[in-house]
Amino acid sequence: MTIVIETRDLTRHFGDLVAVDHVSMQVPKGSIYGFLGPNGCGKSTTIRMLCGLLIPTEGSANVLGIDVLEDPEALKSKIGYMTQRFSLYEDLTVVENLQFMTEIYSVPRSERAPRIKAQLERFSLVDRAKQLAGTMSGGQRQRLALAAVTLHRPELLFLDEPTSAVDPESRREFWEFLFDMVDQGTTMLVTTHFMDEAERCHALAILDQGVLVADGSPKRLMADLPASVVEIESDTVRVVRETLLDLAEVIDVAQLGSRLHALVRPNVQDPSAFLDASLRQRSLQASLKLVPANLEDVFVMATLGREVDR
Amino acid sequence: MRWLSGVRIFAIAKKEFFHLRRDRLTGGMVVGMPIMMTVLFGYAINNDVRNLNAGVVDEANTTASRALVADAMATQVVRVVVRAGSPLELERLLAAGKISVGLYIPADFEERLAQARPPYAQLMVDDSDPIVLGAARGLAQLPLGQNPQTTLKSTFEVRALYNPERRSAVFIVPGLCGVILTFTMVMFTAIAIVRERERGNLELLITTPVQSLELMVGKIIPYVFIGYIQISLILLMGMSLFDVPVRGSMLDFYSGAGIFVLSTLTLGLLISTVAETQFQAFQLAFMSFLPQLLLSGFMFPFEGMPKAAQVFAELFPMTHFLRIVRGVVLRDATLSMMVDEVWPLALFFVVVMTFATMRFRKRLD
């Protein structure tokens, strides 16, 4: 297995703020690696360091065999970076933007037109070819952005919250594109705060306040969760939640719509019955059931650990 | 350093052209600005002052004194608007700005004349405006018709070679080429990189293999063309509206303009690498423009400035270009005769371009 990205104790300070705190990770070739975390957790900063746009305060990063501190320019023709904010030119048309990118990435002259045509077809932008990029919808822009950063066929793709501004339909479609590219051998690092997207990644890193608090495949992370998950349905979820949070055996209770997910310490024998009894004592009605952990639970648990430490 | 890529430079230049084509306001400025400024400056700026408001106190009130007032009015430099009773009243009118010149003829005017005992009369001048002072000085040389003894014979005959009619437009319009280009060129490029940063394009651009120098060169190419459009417009308007004679060769004119345009464009680029926002870029561009306007010799005579200001002004591209353009357009000078003005422009271009390229880092921190 070839490693495409390897960092060791990657750290970045902005003044007193530690945006990224000793992150060490490995991304294998041909996989989608997800960065999961809330806004401001250091996802974008990490990506920018890996692209050579920010200099790490500490630690090292090796991307595609190149030390980003030593020769960031050597890296630039081999990677694609889809920024969080739409960064193509809004006053240029779709085709003009794509032409610009082929020229900037020195795509051979004879290949420019065929590649642009292929991208237009692949990302269903043929009808939009002459439209100004600034007048397109969020989903169309995301497709254009992806088309633009993959014109030069990069080995490695960085995508910073690629779907945060698009509707669910476009998100599904977008991930189809990503899986196609992975099949062709491209490696990707994607940041997201959507659990369903994170679950699609081959491997995940959960970042909280710049610290990598958990990593592994989504399945592994869910299976290894050091807690039992009890799903609770009740008419009085808020009161139930307050009550459960007071119990020492309960690590945390998260509300998911009208349901609650209670994370119970693993030493409790029958967590469902235990919680039921506790609620009955306070004459609260609820139906409880033990469920397998989902990624949300993993996320809650991982980010909670940090707060307990502090 | 890696090899520069012509394709990438061209890609940047083409993209800048697209921006310009779609930005109506900027496009309008390219043509509108030189037209407006040439008309405005060409018609409005006139150092040949006429019809200054004057007040007269004639205490003599004789034939000779009345003739003097008539002679003064005949020059068309002054126009008598008030007849006052006393010199004190003249002073009040001057302070209030009602008149610019006060003409005082004393009661013993005839006696002074007869005894050839100057001064015969007094001019009170509002010298808070130096141009008015200059015009009034001319009035002081006015010969007194009746008394040929008082007229001075000139030692020298003055031969004005290039602008014998002393028309201001002939002097102003070639200089305007420098002023307008300095203003628009610096404005355009000052926002060139800041705009990319503000709109978020820079983050993508610096992740591509494009090199700093390629970006800088590509950014200024479209504006060289715009500079040429503007300078041609100004010259054409000068020739047709103000009869500005173009005596030198067009090749020399355009070559000189080319070097000048390149040097002012790099100044804008440098500003663009310093400024964080477009507003800051505008402020800096304006800050760089004002001293050039004031010290280059366009507004005030270069020779009249203190030595330190002259040395400072030698740094500006506009100072050298004004000399080149006046030389080529009015004096039929060739560019090779003016090498001393050409090399500072070339040096400015190389130094500032290098500095701007080094300042621009393909990083976000």
Side-chain angles (χ1 to χ4, degrees), chain B residues 47-284:
Chain B
N47 291 327
D48 203 5
V49 180
R50 284 178 190 281
N51 291 328
L52 292 172
N53 287 342
V56 172
V57 174
D58 186 355
E59 289 180 344
N61 202 14
T62 62
T63 322
S65 73
R66 283 192 293 273
L68 177 65
V69 174
D71 281 350
M73 284 179 77
T75 60
Q76 292 185 351
V77 173
V78 290
R79 186 166 58 117
V80 176
V81 290
V82 189
R83 296 216 165 245
S86 69
L88 216 65
E89 196 183 337
L90 282 183
E91 273 182 35
R92 267 202 303 275
L93 286 165
L94 275 168
K98 302 267 195 260
I99 58 172
S100 305
V101 177
L103 181 55
Y104 172 61
I105 303 173
D108 59 350
F109 177 63
E110 295 267 3
E111 285 167 48
R112 284 169 182 251
L113 265 185
Q115 294 164 12
R117 181 165 52 88
Y120 309 118
Q122 196 180 42
L123 271 183
M124 299 158 110
V125 179
D126 170 16
D127 57 346
S128 63
D129 184 341
I131 310 264
V132 171
L133 182 64
R137 283 236 173 91
L139 202 63
Q141 304 294 321
L142 185 72
L144 285 168
Q146 286 109 332
N147 197 341
Q149 290 173 358
T150 56
T151 53
L152 272 168
K153 280 260 178 351
S154 308
T155 312
F156 291 106
E157 178 207 18
V158 177
R159 212 182 128 218
L161 288 172
Y162 308 112
N163 188 10
E165 303 131 89
R166 290 194 300 156
R167 283 190 291 124
S168 299
V170 171
F171 184 68
I172 294 284
V173 172
L176 261 188
C177 295
V179 174
I180 294 177
L181 284 186
T182 301
F183 190 67
T184 51
M185 294 294 103
V186 174
M187 271 315 180
F188 281 144
T189 42
I191 60 165
I193 289 165
V194 182
R195 191 186 51 200
E196 301 248 1
R197 180 169 301 155
E198 280 197 344
R199 294 190 183 169
N201 308 126
L202 200 66
E203 194 174 354
L204 177 72
L205 208 54
I206 59 178
T207 323
T208 71
V210 75
Q211 293 178 47
S212 300
L213 190 56
E214 292 167 346
L215 185 65
M216 298 292 154
V217 175
K219 285 251 170 205
I220 62 173
I221 287 175
Y223 300 105
V224 175
F225 284 93
I226 286 179
Y228 272 126
I229 293 174
Q230 292 191 321
I231 206 161
S232 305
L233 251 172
I234 299 165
L235 200 64
L236 215 68
M237 287 182 59
M239 289 162 74
S240 58
L241 290 181
F242 304 107
D243 284 323
V244 174
V246 180
R247 303 194 173 101
S249 93
M250 277 292 156
L251 183 68
D252 280 351
F253 175 74
Y254 279 112
S255 312
I259 303 172
F260 168 66
V261 163
L262 285 175
S263 58
T264 49
L265 284 174
T266 54
L267 180 62
L269 278 184
L270 184 64
I271 288 174
S272 212
T273 61
V274 177
E276 300 273 325
T277 63
Q278 291 198 41
F279 183 66
Q280 280 182 8
F282 275 121
Q283 286 181 313
L284 284 172

Side-chain angles (χ1 to χ4, degrees), chain A residues 12 48 73 81 89 91, chain B residues 19 22 196 203 362 365:
Chain A
R12 171 71 202 204
R48 285 170 178 169
E73 286 310 301
Y81 172 31
Y89 297 96
D91 55 347
Chain B
H19 290 320
R22 305 239 158 84
E196 301 248 1
E203 194 174 354
K362 286 182 72 183
D365 44 1

